[in-house]
Amino acid sequence: MYRYLEPAAWQGDGMSPVNLLVAALVVVASIIAIAETEAILASRYAEQFFMTELALFCIFLIEYCLRVYAAGEDPRYKGVTGRIRYIFSFWALIDLLALLPFIFYAGDHSGFFLRFLKVLRLLRIARLGRFSQAWDAFVHALGDRRYELMLSVMLALLMLIISSSMLYAVEAPYQPEAFGSIPRAFWWSVATLTTVGYGDVTPITAIGKLFAGMTAIAGIGLIAMPTGIMAAAFSDAFQVAKEKADEKRRLAESNNISE
Amino acid sequence: MYRYLEPAAWQGDGMSPVNLLVAALVVVASIIAIAETEAILASRYAEQFFMTELALFCIFLIEYCLRVYAAGEDPRYKGVTGRIRYIFSFWALIDLLALLPFIFYAGDHSGFFLRFLKVLRLLRIARLGRFSQAWDAFVHALGDRRYELMLSVMLALLMLIISSSMLYAVEAPYQPEAFGSIPRAFWWSVATLTTVGYGDVTPITAIGKLFAGMTAIAGIGLIAMPTGIMAAAFSDAFQVAKEKADEKRRLAESNNISE
Amino acid sequence: MYRYLEPAAWQGDGMSPVNLLVAALVVVASIIAIAETEAILASRYAEQFFMTELALFCIFLIEYCLRVYAAGEDPRYKGVTGRIRYIFSFWALIDLLALLPFIFYAGDHSGFFLRFLKVLRLLRIARLGRFSQAWDAFVHALGDRRYELMLSVMLALLMLIISSSMLYAVEAPYQPEAFGSIPRAFWWSVATLTTVGYGDVTPITAIGKLFAGMTAIAGIGLIAMPTGIMAAAFSDAFQVAKEKADEKRRLAESNNISE
Amino acid sequence: MYRYLEPAAWQGDGMSPVNLLVAALVVVASIIAIAETEAILASRYAEQFFMTELALFCIFLIEYCLRVYAAGEDPRYKGVTGRIRYIFSFWALIDLLALLPFIFYAGDHSGFFLRFLKVLRLLRIARLGRFSQAWDAFVHALGDRRYELMLSVMLALLMLIISSSMLYAVEAPYQPEAFGSIPRAFWWSVATLTTVGYGDVTPITAIGKLFAGMTAIAGIGLIAMPTGIMAAAFSDAFQVAKEKADEKRRLAESNNISE
């Protein structure tokens, strides 16, 4: 049973059938949690939603108990104290947290707290992290360039402050609501530097437009920099992977020759 | 005749004259299909449109019959049963589907179904796929990185859910129409993460704007990641092509020396 | 004099002093041509604008005559017939075209034709092309990848047609002005695929928003593809340049050793 | 003391404790300067802001005096005249400039001048530059490609002028406020070429929309070019760094063998 539940203990390819089912149920549960926030759907299918939620809660509860029980086969979590230690391990806590919202949900709440609970139920998605061993190469490639990426974030912050200050200095008296202070100008500045450009706030003075144009052009640099760094990082990572594969092949070939 | 119709059987460079003509007519037919959806043009040039459609239909019908007849020269599609098998092959079905809309069109329809038929006529463009052997290198370069591209799509989905959830939690009571549920918030979230930024929906609370700014910055990462992966993939593909060319040249040179 | 006027004949570094002056005057003349379209400036400084235009016209006219005269030193353009042939050479025609608008300008025009003439005066900028030998490496790097770039343009066109068709099919009855035909939907589609996102036209139906979201995500791919191709092309070009420099150095070193 | 104050003289890793504290205080002072522009915060916490400003001013004043005194230990700035020379060195002037705004601030101002002073206080951020020796690799990688980056800026400028001219020629009579002159059309053109797309100004004529669509597509090229150049530059820089590291290791290994 332990082999079926613990991703690292599974000897076959990919995930064990049990974990595959759990992952699929987590996806289903997440979709339901998202759909249920829509009042039209929530009121029309109230009963169906509740029954599915209840069923998923029971399945996840049983799965959680089995996981705690099966953890005993791992030498680290042997015995009762070992299992208590397992309960406080990272992924077990995530599993528990993902169970909790249903209990609260059974009660009667309203306003922000209710919405917060509904969003909390999306913590279920985090459970998928348990099954994913794929991000490693990705994270590694970016991690190697975290210094350069951090520098470009700092540069972005500097651009944000400079452009907000300029627009504040120029536009404040004409649009006090949007440019009345530097923090207020941040909203416009972020939208421009990221080239999102909502258009709900735009400068109206000629000099403000000049600064805004310069900000938009600086925004291209802001996008180009992390893109360039990432491209170089991925290119590097791919080449290292290829060289490793080449070396492996060459090693295998020289072994064949010497035999 | 088979050699003139089947792209793979043509021995000259590029496409056979017949297929070049067919491809050009497909482009013309597609432009007409697009132009005809415009009511002003459709009513003014109704007759011309109809005559051109009819002429194109006849040409494509003749071409289709010739293709089915010529298919017999291919050993796979010999005889009557072979030709019937050809009719159900992928590209022949596409050719047939591209013919159908005209027949329906002759009838009298209205509303969504008519618009659907008009759009269906654009299936003609898909016929160009038959003549294109150029995408292969392109698709191959991207296919090698499909795993990384899929990961960045999943990351994008995760970002979409997280940002929508945050905005839903914060903005729902102030803008129930746009942020009243997580699925509703998706619209704003997609527009922001892709840096499209229509501006028809924007957060109005300070904390909503803070989250929106973070979403916009995350959106830059979202754009940078696939761009970086593609840049690395193309760079890789170009280098492989260059190395192959170099090796070929070296081989040719060493052959010249040994002679 | 020929050496001072003909960029290719100048033996020093960069441009000859005469051509540097001409290039600077072209920039000044272009700025004036841009500024003069603004009615506020045009009416306030009407006289100054006219005098500067007249002065620039005279200088450029003299320069043009000198160029025609000096062209005789080039064996290709010897004698009177040679000079007439020079007048019809590409850059000489550009120079002449850049002179013409002033003559018309002296007359009295209005409406579109006047605006067209004003814009035509910006042809002066094209004269800078004569002095630029810098684009070559740039154009060469991109030219090597013109096939891939063309493919991504075709893919973009396909996306444009598909997304316009979908939105037309879905949104036509609700927004006939913006989505009433496929050509009309192009405007929205271009703005979305390029992630410009003006927001003057946005889908209002749920299914339209779904398609629009997919279009926006496809738009990221549309941006990522040429960026990736260009990144790979430049990376390639830089490496070739570096390898050439390395080989040169190695050659120089081996020469030093053998001496 | 000199060793604690002068970044270049510190022998440990990173920054000296004193400079770390100063950098942190600079960040705090910048955040306060930003927050204070918000009228709501400024009026509610007027006293706290003033006290913190005063305290920071005193600390930075003492630090400045100590720096001037300690500069004497540097042979270049020995004696009284040396210290006066130090006061006029680049970073010392920045430090002084960052101190000044508080003095003016104590007075009573209004309007643009007050806002200008508030923004001037953000010069404090520039003081962080003194402690940063990290940008070098970054700036170097981009500096190597400054020629290509400059070319793409020039190309961008050309695109800006061409697209503005086209829209001016077509849209001027319909939207004189936004497209009445080429400089006015710049605002729309920058927003489109950078794909920001505020949407406060959009063409309304069919031909204007056609030109606008072409501008938006050209904008993708405008973004792709610097991104591609930067990606190639970073890729180059990373590879050079890796090769250097490899050579170092190989040298170390061959030394080990020969020993």
Short mmCIF file of all heavy atoms in Angstrom, two decimals, chain B residues 10 16 32 34 44-45 62 90 96 107 114 135 144 152 186 190-191 197 203-204 223 234-235 243 247:
data_model
loop_
_atom_site.label_atom_id
_atom_site.label_comp_id
_atom_site.label_asym_id
_atom_site.label_seq_id
_atom_site.Cartn_x
_atom_site.Cartn_y
_atom_site.Cartn_z
N TRP B 10 5.76 14.96 -57.42
CA TRP B 10 6.34 15.94 -58.32
C TRP B 10 7.85 15.92 -58.23
O TRP B 10 8.43 15.96 -57.14
CB TRP B 10 5.79 17.33 -58.00
CG TRP B 10 6.34 18.42 -58.87
CD1 TRP B 10 7.18 19.42 -58.49
CD2 TRP B 10 6.08 18.62 -60.25
NE1 TRP B 10 7.45 20.24 -59.55
CE2 TRP B 10 6.79 19.77 -60.66
CE3 TRP B 10 5.31 17.94 -61.21
CZ2 TRP B 10 6.76 20.25 -61.96
CZ3 TRP B 10 5.28 18.41 -62.50
CH2 TRP B 10 6.00 19.57 -62.87
N SER B 16 4.09 21.55 -58.42
CA SER B 16 3.77 21.40 -59.82
C SER B 16 2.89 22.58 -60.25
O SER B 16 2.23 23.19 -59.42
CB SER B 16 3.01 20.09 -60.04
OG SER B 16 1.70 20.23 -59.56
N ILE B 32 -12.37 35.69 -50.84
CA ILE B 32 -13.77 35.94 -51.18
C ILE B 32 -14.68 35.55 -50.02
O ILE B 32 -15.59 36.29 -49.65
CB ILE B 32 -14.16 35.17 -52.46
CG1 ILE B 32 -13.51 35.86 -53.67
CG2 ILE B 32 -15.68 35.11 -52.64
CD1 ILE B 32 -13.63 35.07 -54.94
N ILE B 34 -13.99 35.55 -46.93
CA ILE B 34 -13.87 36.55 -45.87
C ILE B 34 -14.62 37.82 -46.25
O ILE B 34 -15.38 38.37 -45.46
CB ILE B 34 -12.37 36.86 -45.61
CG1 ILE B 34 -11.71 35.68 -44.90
CG2 ILE B 34 -12.22 38.13 -44.78
CD1 ILE B 34 -10.21 35.79 -44.79
N ARG B 44 -23.90 44.64 -52.44
CA ARG B 44 -23.58 45.39 -53.64
C ARG B 44 -23.11 44.48 -54.78
O ARG B 44 -23.47 44.66 -55.91
CB ARG B 44 -22.50 46.46 -53.35
CG ARG B 44 -22.38 47.45 -54.51
CD ARG B 44 -21.34 48.53 -54.23
NE ARG B 44 -21.66 49.28 -53.01
CZ ARG B 44 -20.78 50.12 -52.45
NH1 ARG B 44 -19.58 50.29 -52.95
NH2 ARG B 44 -21.12 50.79 -51.36
N TYR B 45 -22.27 43.49 -54.44
CA TYR B 45 -21.71 42.61 -55.47
C TYR B 45 -22.28 41.20 -55.37
O TYR B 45 -21.57 40.23 -55.65
CB TYR B 45 -20.19 42.56 -55.35
CG TYR B 45 -19.53 43.92 -55.42
CD1 TYR B 45 -19.02 44.52 -54.29
CD2 TYR B 45 -19.45 44.59 -56.64
CE1 TYR B 45 -18.43 45.78 -54.35
CE2 TYR B 45 -18.86 45.84 -56.70
CZ TYR B 45 -18.35 46.43 -55.56
OH TYR B 45 -17.77 47.66 -55.63
N ILE B 62 -14.14 19.54 -60.13
CA ILE B 62 -13.40 18.84 -61.19
C ILE B 62 -12.06 18.35 -60.64
O ILE B 62 -11.67 17.19 -60.79
CB ILE B 62 -13.18 19.76 -62.41
CG1 ILE B 62 -14.52 20.06 -63.07
CG2 ILE B 62 -12.19 19.14 -63.40
CD1 ILE B 62 -14.49 21.23 -64.04
N PHE B 90 -7.13 11.35 -45.02
CA PHE B 90 -7.24 12.64 -44.33
C PHE B 90 -7.41 13.83 -45.27
O PHE B 90 -8.38 14.58 -45.18
CB PHE B 90 -6.01 12.86 -43.44
CG PHE B 90 -6.06 14.14 -42.67
CD1 PHE B 90 -6.98 14.30 -41.63
CD2 PHE B 90 -5.22 15.20 -42.98
CE1 PHE B 90 -7.04 15.48 -40.93
CE2 PHE B 90 -5.29 16.38 -42.27
CZ PHE B 90 -6.20 16.52 -41.25
N LEU B 96 -13.06 17.38 -49.51
CA LEU B 96 -14.51 17.20 -49.63
C LEU B 96 -15.24 18.19 -48.72
O LEU B 96 -16.19 18.87 -49.15
CB LEU B 96 -14.87 15.76 -49.26
CG LEU B 96 -16.28 15.33 -49.64
CD1 LEU B 96 -16.47 15.36 -51.15
CD2 LEU B 96 -16.59 13.93 -49.11
N GLY B 107 -28.84 27.08 -50.47
CA GLY B 107 -30.12 27.16 -49.78
C GLY B 107 -30.30 28.52 -49.12
O GLY B 107 -29.52 29.45 -49.33
N LEU B 114 -26.11 30.38 -40.50
CA LEU B 114 -25.56 30.99 -41.71
C LEU B 114 -24.13 31.45 -41.48
O LEU B 114 -23.23 31.20 -42.28
CB LEU B 114 -26.44 32.17 -42.13
CG LEU B 114 -25.96 32.93 -43.37
CD1 LEU B 114 -26.03 32.05 -44.61
CD2 LEU B 114 -26.76 34.20 -43.59
N TRP B 135 6.56 23.30 -42.77
CA TRP B 135 6.41 23.47 -41.33
C TRP B 135 7.24 22.46 -40.54
O TRP B 135 7.45 22.64 -39.35
CB TRP B 135 4.94 23.29 -40.92
CG TRP B 135 4.06 24.33 -41.50
CD1 TRP B 135 3.25 24.19 -42.58
CD2 TRP B 135 3.87 25.67 -41.03
NE1 TRP B 135 2.59 25.36 -42.81
CE2 TRP B 135 2.95 26.28 -41.88
CE3 TRP B 135 4.40 26.40 -39.98
CZ2 TRP B 135 2.54 27.59 -41.71
CZ3 TRP B 135 3.99 27.70 -39.81
CH2 TRP B 135 3.09 28.28 -40.67
N ASP B 144 10.51 19.30 -29.89
CA ASP B 144 11.58 18.88 -28.98
C ASP B 144 11.42 19.51 -27.60
O ASP B 144 11.91 19.00 -26.61
CB ASP B 144 12.95 19.30 -29.55
CG ASP B 144 13.51 18.25 -30.47
OD1 ASP B 144 12.77 17.30 -30.78
OD2 ASP B 144 14.67 18.37 -30.87
N SER B 152 5.22 25.51 -19.03
CA SER B 152 4.95 26.95 -18.92
C SER B 152 3.47 27.24 -19.12
O SER B 152 2.94 28.19 -18.54
CB SER B 152 5.83 27.75 -19.86
OG SER B 152 5.54 27.46 -21.20
N PHE B 186 -11.62 35.53 -14.48
CA PHE B 186 -10.70 34.99 -15.50
C PHE B 186 -10.50 35.98 -16.64
O PHE B 186 -9.39 36.15 -17.15
CB PHE B 186 -11.24 33.68 -16.08
CG PHE B 186 -10.94 32.47 -15.26
CD1 PHE B 186 -11.58 31.26 -15.51
CD2 PHE B 186 -10.01 32.52 -14.23
CE1 PHE B 186 -11.30 30.14 -14.75
CE2 PHE B 186 -9.74 31.39 -13.47
CZ PHE B 186 -10.37 30.20 -13.74
N VAL B 190 -6.85 36.98 -17.73
CA VAL B 190 -6.22 36.64 -19.01
C VAL B 190 -5.71 37.91 -19.69
O VAL B 190 -4.58 37.97 -20.18
CB VAL B 190 -7.21 35.91 -19.94
CG1 VAL B 190 -6.70 35.89 -21.37
CG2 VAL B 190 -7.41 34.48 -19.47
N ALA B 191 -6.56 38.95 -19.71
CA ALA B 191 -6.17 40.20 -20.37
C ALA B 191 -4.93 40.81 -19.72
O ALA B 191 -4.12 41.44 -20.39
CB ALA B 191 -7.34 41.19 -20.34
N GLY B 197 -4.47 43.87 -21.78
CA GLY B 197 -4.96 45.02 -21.02
C GLY B 197 -6.01 45.84 -21.74
O GLY B 197 -5.79 47.02 -22.00
N PRO B 203 -9.40 46.77 -11.53
CA PRO B 203 -9.71 46.83 -10.10
C PRO B 203 -9.83 48.28 -9.64
O PRO B 203 -9.17 49.17 -10.20
CB PRO B 203 -8.51 46.14 -9.46
CG PRO B 203 -7.42 46.23 -10.46
CD PRO B 203 -8.08 46.21 -11.79
N ILE B 204 -10.66 48.52 -8.63
CA ILE B 204 -10.81 49.89 -8.15
C ILE B 204 -10.33 50.06 -6.70
O ILE B 204 -10.05 51.16 -6.29
CB ILE B 204 -12.26 50.40 -8.29
CG1 ILE B 204 -13.25 49.38 -7.73
CG2 ILE B 204 -12.59 50.69 -9.74
CD1 ILE B 204 -14.67 49.90 -7.66
N ILE B 223 5.29 35.75 -20.40
CA ILE B 223 5.68 35.96 -21.79
C ILE B 223 7.13 35.56 -21.99
O ILE B 223 7.50 34.96 -23.00
CB ILE B 223 5.48 37.45 -22.18
CG1 ILE B 223 4.00 37.77 -22.23
CG2 ILE B 223 6.13 37.74 -23.51
CD1 ILE B 223 3.72 39.21 -22.52
N PHE B 234 15.11 27.29 -31.14
CA PHE B 234 15.51 27.68 -32.50
C PHE B 234 17.03 27.76 -32.60
O PHE B 234 17.61 27.32 -33.59
CB PHE B 234 14.88 29.02 -32.88
CG PHE B 234 13.41 28.93 -33.12
CD1 PHE B 234 12.52 29.77 -32.48
CD2 PHE B 234 12.90 27.97 -33.98
CE1 PHE B 234 11.16 29.67 -32.71
CE2 PHE B 234 11.54 27.87 -34.21
CZ PHE B 234 10.67 28.72 -33.56
N SER B 235 17.66 28.34 -31.57
CA SER B 235 19.12 28.46 -31.57
C SER B 235 19.74 27.08 -31.70
O SER B 235 20.69 26.88 -32.46
CB SER B 235 19.56 29.13 -30.26
OG SER B 235 20.93 29.33 -30.24
N GLU B 243 25.93 22.46 -38.02
CA GLU B 243 26.91 21.39 -37.78
C GLU B 243 26.79 20.31 -38.86
O GLU B 243 27.80 19.79 -39.34
CB GLU B 243 26.70 20.78 -36.40
CG GLU B 243 27.49 21.53 -35.32
CD GLU B 243 27.03 21.17 -33.92
OE1 GLU B 243 26.47 20.06 -33.76
OE2 GLU B 243 27.21 21.99 -33.01
N GLU B 247 29.73 19.22 -41.34
CA GLU B 247 30.18 17.84 -41.45
C GLU B 247 30.15 17.37 -42.90
O GLU B 247 31.09 16.74 -43.39
CB GLU B 247 29.27 16.94 -40.59
CG GLU B 247 29.91 15.62 -40.23
CD GLU B 247 29.45 15.17 -38.84
OE1 GLU B 247 29.54 16.02 -37.92
OE2 GLU B 247 29.00 14.05 -38.71
#
